[in-house]
């Protein structure tokens, strides 16, 4: 279980390499739309912080959003 730090410029790269049980700690900023499809983690992955303009999750398991802001 690791804490992985990400910024708006490297968010997608870090998200694609996250492992089960990790926390992705986002720096302040707008990360745009979060769209995840068919993603399953064996242990909960947490995305902490950040602001999103939209969140679309389809067939996603083991994901937790913590302290994230969603501006629809």
């Amino acid at each position: 279980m690791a804490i992985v730090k990400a910024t708006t410029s490297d968010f997608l790269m870090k998200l694609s390499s996250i492992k089960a049980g990790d926390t992705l700690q986002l720096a302040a900023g707008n990360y745009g739309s979060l769209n995840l499809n068919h993603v399953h983690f064996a242990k909960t992955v947490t995305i902490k912080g950040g602001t999103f303009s939209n969140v679309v999750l389809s067939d996603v398991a083991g994901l937790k959003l913590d302290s994230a802001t969603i501006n629809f």
Side-chain angles (χ1 to χ4, degrees):
M1 295 184 353
I3 296 176
V4 178
K5 297 185 182 231
T7 63
T8 56
S9 62
D10 66 5
F11 169 67
L12 292 177
M13 179 190 68
K14 298 276 180 97
L15 180 63
S16 68
S17 66
I18 200 105
K19 307 260 187 284
D22 288 352
T23 295
L24 187 58
Q25 176 69 54
L26 304 182
N30 189 327
Y31 289 79
S33 183
L34 176 63
N35 293 298
L36 296 176
N37 295 301
H38 310 293
V39 178
H40 302 117
F41 296 103
K43 290 177 103 179
T44 301
V45 163
T46 302
I47 297 176
K48 187 169 186 172
T51 299
F52 297 95
S53 58
N54 189 25
V55 174
V56 177
L57 306 174
S58 176
D59 189 28
V60 175
L63 179 69
K64 175 182 175 183
L65 294 176
D66 182 8
S67 303
T69 301
I70 303 168
N71 292 325
F72 291 104

